[in-house]
Amino acid sequence: MARGDLFAAACPSRAVLQHVTSRWGVLVLATLLVEGEQRFSVLRRRIGGVSEKMLSQTLKELEGDGFVLRLVQPSVPPQVAYRLSPQGRRVAALVRELVDWIEASMPAIEQARSLQPARVAAALK
């Protein structure tokens, strides 16, 4: 199987990149990496602001890419949980590193944001 080329317009790896780096994809991967196997309702509560529809869609995309495993436990009613596959743990670790960097860098990012209006005004002079 050939390696993907993200810079090629028709490369299917672009869809995988979108699934992994979308707002909800990042949060699902990071949550499952840190907290382990989770039921849908627990994931939804943990990931503030995600709708049921978006969480369901994100989980299906990540499952389709082989990063998330959907586990149906035989009970009445059936209980469904999600966990990372081995490949999912690898990509989630990379995503988690980015998440950690962003969280640690927020003071500098906020400072840069506060200076932005002055930069724009100076550029317009």
Side-chain angles (χ1 to χ4, degrees):
M1 185 164 264
R3 178 185 168 103
D5 179 5
L6 283 170
F7 297 100
C11 185
S13 61
R14 284 191 179 187
V16 177
L17 180 67
Q18 172 61 35
H19 300 159
V20 169
T21 62
S22 71
R23 172 182 13 180
W24 307 124
V26 166
L27 296 173
V28 165
L29 290 168
T31 300
L32 292 175
L33 180 68
V34 172
E35 298 180 14
E37 185 176 307
Q38 299 287 311
R39 291 186 56 200
F40 184 91
S41 58
V42 175
L43 271 173
R44 185 157 180 239
R45 280 193 302 274
R46 178 68 177 107
I47 303 172
V50 68
S51 69
E52 189 171 315
K53 177 184 176 186
M54 286 308 302
L55 180 57
S56 178
Q57 179 181 322
T58 301
L59 287 164
K60 285 177 185 174
E61 290 167 345
L62 293 171
E63 182 184 5
D65 293 333
F67 300 136
V68 170
L69 302 172
R70 183 176 186 268
L71 310 163
V72 179
Q73 299 158 357
S75 61
V76 178
Q79 293 186 357
V80 179
Y82 298 88
R83 74 170 176 220
L84 295 173
S85 68
Q87 189 171 358
R89 283 193 296 278
R90 289 178 60 201
V91 73
L94 296 169
V95 167
R96 184 65 203 193
E97 189 172 332
L98 176 61
V99 168
D100 289 343
W101 181 88
I102 290 170
E103 290 177 339
S105 300
M106 278 312 296
I109 293 168
E110 288 296 333
Q111 182 180 11
R113 285 179 170 178
S114 71
L115 297 174
Q116 186 60 25
R119 287 188 198 129
V120 171
L124 294 176
K125 287 186 180 180

